[in-house]
Amino acid sequence: MSDRILVVEDEPKIANLLRRGLLYEGYTVDVVGDGESGLQLARDTPPDLVILDVMLPGIDGLEVCRRLRAASDVPIVMLTAKDSIPDRVAGLDSGADGYISKPFSFEELLARIRALLRRMRVNTTAREEIRFGDLSLNYATREVQRGSRRLDLTAKEFDVLQLFMQHPRQVLTRDIIYERIWDYDFGGESNIIEVYIRYLRTKLEANGEPRLLQTVRGVGYVLREE
């Protein structure tokens, strides 16, 4: 499955260059032209990496970066025409992982993207355990615990829960869950996602614990505390 890259860039020529170049390199690419749309798309279809322009209409790139970073650890590369040290510091302080000035070399950008995605995968592997509230998931042993209670999950239940724990507090649509977990479209009539959400809720809440997998009506599901 190819990595998904979200490009938030309001200059049509640059946005088109990035879209065509990244598609050619085998990435899945989403492109939007303003910060609000970028935040919305990142919530609905969580990307593996974000390329973010600083100067955007409406919500600027620094604020978008701060909000993205508050919600997840997705790698963020900032693009800007500004090249002063204070501007770079502001970008990095807002949570960016990399900073490239316009005009830029596409090959340099590709190298940065590959390095960040590689680092993300290494960090995920090295960080064997992830937590959300009283819920913990171990990548290496594929064990899940809620508090001191161990949950007996099937392989597919584990995969679904892992997806939510990798994107806490982000609404995951049915389409993105299908794509990330089953890698193909079951069709609009399938209720396979609802079935697995029900299985997980039954096991997560077996001792009367508060619900963590919430339904966002008409959109999808989100891992968050009520």
Side-chain angles (χ1 to χ4, degrees):
M1 188 189 310
S2 63
D3 290 309
R4 179 180 293 275
I5 296 179
L6 170 60
V7 176
V8 188
E9 169 61 67
D10 66 324
E11 294 185 46
K13 288 185 178 179
I14 295 178
N16 190 47
L17 168 69
L18 290 171
R19 183 185 63 81
R20 288 188 290 107
L22 292 170
L23 285 172
Y24 180 79
E25 292 295 326
Y27 296 106
T28 300
V29 185
D30 296 309
V31 180
V32 295
D34 63 88
E36 185 173 354
S37 298
L39 289 169
Q40 178 74 30
L41 191 55
R43 189 201 73 175
D44 294 344
T45 308
D48 296 296
L49 183 139
V50 178
I51 298 174
L52 177 63
D53 187 25
V54 172
M55 304 297 290
L56 293 169
I59 306 172
D60 69 25
L62 294 177
E63 179 61 22
V64 172
C65 186
R66 280 189 285 268
R67 296 188 192 184
L68 288 172
R69 182 56 67 238
S72 78
D73 56 358
V74 61
I76 302 171
V77 178
M78 301 201 77
L79 297 178
T80 181
K82 299 180 178 181
D83 193 26
S84 69
I85 295 300
D87 291 325
R88 287 177 177 268
V89 170
L92 296 173
D93 282 349
S94 67
D97 298 280
Y99 198 100
I100 292 183
S101 299
K102 299 176 183 177
F104 58 87
S105 159
F106 187 70
E107 290 303 319
E108 179 187 357
L109 177 60
L110 277 179
R112 189 71 57 89
I113 289 169
R114 287 192 292 263
L116 287 172
L117 290 173
R118 186 166 55 247
R119 187 183 75 184
M120 189 68 177
R121 283 189 283 268
V122 169
N123 287 346
T124 298
T125 302
R127 187 189 55 190
E128 290 185 347
E129 186 173 270
I130 53 176
R131 293 180 173 271
F132 182 83
D134 63 349
L135 188 62
S136 64
L137 180 149
N138 190 294
Y139 289 101
T141 64
R142 294 182 70 85
E143 293 179 351
V144 175
Q145 286 189 211
R146 181 136 198 206
S148 60
R149 180 170 63 87
R150 180 174 172 179
L151 278 62
D152 184 17
L153 301 186
T154 66
K156 193 59 70 176
E157 288 169 354
F158 181 93
D159 291 342
V160 173
L161 183 61
Q162 176 178 294
L163 176 64
F164 281 99
M165 291 190 70
Q166 288 171 333
H167 301 281
R169 293 177 291 275
Q170 292 187 48
V171 178
L172 302 183
T173 64
R174 289 168 54 88
D175 287 344
I176 195 65
I177 297 170
Y178 279 141
E179 180 182 321
R180 297 295 179 93
I181 301 300
W182 284 277
D183 200 24
Y184 64 94
D185 187 1
F186 275 85
E189 300 303 314
S190 173
N191 68 339
I192 189 71
I193 293 175
E194 287 75 13
V195 169
Y196 274 90
I197 293 294
R198 185 168 68 247
Y199 289 161
L200 284 170
R201 282 174 173 168
T202 298
K203 294 180 179 182
L204 289 169
E205 303 166 20
N207 283 358
E209 295 94 338
R211 176 155 294 180
L212 293 178
L213 284 174
Q214 317 291 345
T215 300
V216 180
R217 194 170 300 278
V219 181
Y221 299 92
V222 60
L223 179 71
R224 69 182 177 210
E225 296 169 310
E226 290 183 308

